[in-house]
Amino acid sequence: MTSIFWSNAATTTVLQNLSLVFIMLLTCLSGRRRPNRREAVSLALALAGTYVLATGGDPRHMALSPRGLFWGLMTAAAVTIYTLLPRKLLPVWGREIVTGLGMLFGGAAVNLAARSWNDQVHLTRGGWLALGGILLFGSLLAFPLFMQGLADVGPVKSSLLAATEPVAAAVFSAVWLGTRFTLPTLLGFACILATIFLLAGDEGGEISPSRAGGPVNGKPEES
């Protein structure tokens, strides 16, 4: 939400998908190996895409605000953490308990830090409907469904299937919110999205639940 505030929904969603590159780098570090050719190309594309998004292709100025870039990268880091962290918890406790406790503890911590009880919120009927949509589709459904996909097919393939999200975000931002994208911005989008398909086709770079912490739900992972 903070990244969207400082940039826009489409840019945040695309930067969020850099998490796949972070996962790849962590895989290489944990396996004490160098990135293969496909992974190296993906890393180069990710860096190029981020550079183009940040500068618009002109290094003399920032097309994306420093805060927008920072919080976008923090979003990618957060996605990396919540993708990898529950690998050993999901087979034991299931997606509902893991997701619910994560939201409970995280929400309580953020609420205490933000001191929300000091804020006076006055929303219109449309505002309450929008808030309800965020709660239902952006939290209550999105995270359990992602966790189920993570348990079924692993982090990389889950991220590949979620690759439609930045495309949808860009289309809705342009059509519904009137956001305008320059050619360098679209080029940066394309570079980052290309990394998803490159890495998803590299089986050696995937961190699957079975490799990380045994079979999922007591069943061997299907090939």
Side-chain angles (χ1 to χ4, degrees):
M1 292 297 180
T2 305
S3 178
I4 292 174
F5 178 80
W6 290 109
S7 57
N8 57 66
T11 301
T12 294
T13 309
V14 170
L15 289 175
Q16 168 186 295
N17 280 274
L18 289 172
S19 60
L20 192 60
V21 179
F22 294 168
I23 291 173
M24 179 268 291
L25 292 174
L26 289 174
T27 303
C28 292
L29 288 174
S30 63
R32 297 181 179 179
R33 64 176 179 86
R34 294 180 180 180
N36 60 34
R37 182 178 300 178
R38 188 189 296 266
E39 291 168 340
V41 172
S42 299
L43 179 59
L45 283 172
L47 292 175
T50 305
Y51 170 80
V52 172
L53 281 181
T55 65
D58 186 353
R60 294 173 296 180
H61 74 280
M62 292 284 288
L64 180 63
S65 71
R67 288 182 176 178
L69 178 60
F70 172 79
W71 288 112
L73 294 176
M74 289 301 99
T75 302
V79 173
T80 301
I81 292 171
Y82 82 65
T83 299
L84 297 180
L85 204 59
R87 290 177 299 164
K88 296 183 180 180
L89 297 176
L90 288 173
V92 179
W93 301 103
R95 64 184 185 275
E96 291 85 2
I97 293 179
V98 172
T99 305
L101 289 178
M103 287 185 173
L104 176 62
F105 295 149
V110 171
N111 195 42
L112 290 174
R115 299 182 180 181
S116 61
W117 54 86
N118 292 327
D119 296 329
Q120 298 295 324
V121 179
H122 301 284
L123 296 177
T124 63
R125 180 181 299 176
W128 284 112
L129 288 174
L131 180 60
I134 293 172
L135 292 174
L136 177 62
F137 298 106
S139 297
L140 294 179
L141 293 179
F143 287 95
L145 290 175
F146 181 81
M147 289 297 178
Q148 183 60 45
L150 179 63
D152 289 340
V153 299
V156 174
K157 290 181 181 177
S158 296
S159 298
L160 173 63
L161 294 173
T164 55
E165 181 182 2
V167 178
V171 172
F172 280 115
S173 294
V175 175
W176 189 11
L177 303 179
T179 304
R180 295 184 178 181
F181 302 107
T182 63
L183 182 59
T185 299
L186 295 176
L187 179 60
F189 285 0
C191 287
I192 293 176
L193 292 177
T195 65
I196 300 174
F197 297 96
L198 280 172
L199 290 177
D202 185 8
E203 296 181 357
E206 180 171 350
I207 310 173
S208 68
S210 62
R211 293 177 188 172
V216 178
N217 297 327
K219 299 179 181 179
E221 184 185 35
E222 296 181 0
S223 58

